[in-house]
Amino acid sequence: MNWSVIFEPSTLALYAQGLVVTLQLTLISLAVGAVLALLMALALVSRTAAIRLPVAAFTYFMRGTPLLIQVYLIYYGFAQLEWVQARWDTVWPWTHFKEPFFCALLSFSLNTAAYTAEMLAGSIRETNKGEVEAARAMGMNDWQLMRRIVLPSAIRRMLPAYGNEVVMMLHSSSLASTVPSVLDLTGAASGVYSDFYLPFEAYLFAAAIYLCITFSLLGANRLLERRYLGYLAPRKA
C-alpha cells in the first residue's frame, strides 16, 4: 500500500473539504429533521384522522423506500421538472432546487424526520398513565400536559434509539456523493481513487474518519443518556 499519497497536503485538504461537507449535511439535516419530527409526531398521535393519516402515509413511504431513491427523486426528478426550473431564479423556495447541496440536504432531512417522528410518537404513546393523571389532577390542559410532562419524558426515553438514528444519518450522508458537485467525505475518497488508483488507501482513510466521528457521536449520546436517564439506572444496595 502507498500511504504517502494520502498524507500529502493536497490530499488531506481534499479530505478536509469533504469532512466539512459531511458534517454540514449531517448536523443540519438532523436539526431540520428534529423540528419536522416534533410536528409530525404530534400529528401522528392526534385523534383527528385528517391530520394523522397523511403524516402516517408520508412516514410510511420515507421509511419504506431506500434513501438513495429519495435523493434521486428530489434531485433527478422533482428538481428537473420544467415548472420548478421555470421558478429557479424568481420564486422562493424553488430558487434553492438548482443547488445540488440543497437537494441532498432536503432528502436527508425528510428521511431522518420520518424515522425520528415515528420514534417520538411511539415514545409519546408509551408515556406512563400515572404521569398523565397526575398532571390532570394539577389542572393542566392538553397543551400544558404535552409541553411540561409528555414531551420531556418521551424525548428522554427515545435517546438510545435516537443515538442510532444520528449514526445512521452520518453513514447515509455518504450518498451525497451520488449528487453531482457535492464533495463529501466519500466523494473525496472517490476523487483520490480516480486520481491515484489507490482504492484501499483512499477508502480505508475515509472509513477511519467516519469511525472516529461515529465514536464521538456515540460518546456524546452516552453522556446525554447518563444525564437524562440516570434515574432508570439500577440503584446500588
Side-chain angles (χ1 to χ4, degrees):
M1 290 188 178
N2 184 11
W3 287 98
S4 60
V5 173
I6 300 298
F7 293 100
E8 290 182 358
S10 59
T11 305
L12 292 177
L14 184 64
Y15 276 108
Q17 181 181 353
L19 175 60
V20 170
V21 173
T22 292
L23 292 177
Q24 287 178 336
L25 285 171
T26 302
L27 297 178
I28 297 176
S29 62
L30 287 172
V32 175
V35 175
L36 295 176
L38 176 60
L39 299 177
M40 288 192 289
L42 294 177
L44 288 172
V45 298
S46 173
R47 298 186 183 92
T48 305
I51 298 176
R52 183 180 67 254
L53 294 181
V55 176
F58 171 78
T59 59
Y60 183 83
F61 174 81
M62 298 301 290
R63 294 184 302 122
T65 57
L67 178 56
L68 181 60
I69 299 299
Q70 297 166 19
V71 173
Y72 284 164
L73 284 175
I74 291 179
Y75 181 74
Y76 292 106
F78 187 76
Q80 304 303 321
L81 295 177
E82 293 184 2
W83 67 272
V84 174
Q85 294 183 357
R87 294 165 173 78
W88 272 7
D89 299 322
T90 56
V91 182
W92 185 90
W94 313 120
T95 53
H96 294 292
F97 278 89
K98 62 183 177 181
E99 303 171 6
F101 181 88
F102 174 81
C103 293
L105 180 63
L106 178 62
S107 305
F108 298 154
S109 299
L110 294 178
N111 183 270
T112 189
Y115 280 95
T116 306
E118 288 290 347
M119 286 188 291
L120 182 55
S123 189
I124 290 174
R125 297 187 188 102
E126 293 174 0
T127 301
N128 190 291
K129 293 183 179 180
E131 297 180 13
V132 176
E133 292 174 356
R136 294 292 189 191
M138 294 293 295
M140 293 186 186
N141 56 35
D142 290 342
W143 167 244
Q144 291 174 327
L145 171 64
M146 183 63 68
R147 181 171 60 89
R148 296 180 180 179
I149 306 298
V150 176
L151 276 179
S153 176
I155 291 173
R156 285 198 302 269
R157 284 182 279 107
M158 67 171 280
L159 278 177
Y162 186 67
N164 294 331
E165 171 61 20
V166 170
V167 173
M168 290 300 298
M169 194 68 257
L170 169 67
H171 297 168
S172 299
S173 67
S174 62
L175 295 177
S177 60
T178 62
V179 178
S181 75
V182 176
L183 184 67
D184 70 325
L185 193 54
T186 302
S190 298
V192 174
Y193 165 53
S194 62
D195 290 341
F196 302 100
Y197 198 68
L198 298 172
F200 290 104
E201 295 88 336
Y203 289 110
L204 281 176
F205 189 67
I209 298 175
Y210 277 116
L211 195 61
C212 291
I213 303 173
T214 298
F215 281 134
S216 299
L217 292 175
L218 290 176
N221 190 72
R222 186 65 59 84
L223 291 176
L224 289 175
E225 289 181 28
R226 290 180 181 177
R227 172 66 177 82
Y228 295 105
L229 295 178
Y231 67 96
L232 295 179
R235 295 184 178 181
K236 296 181 181 180

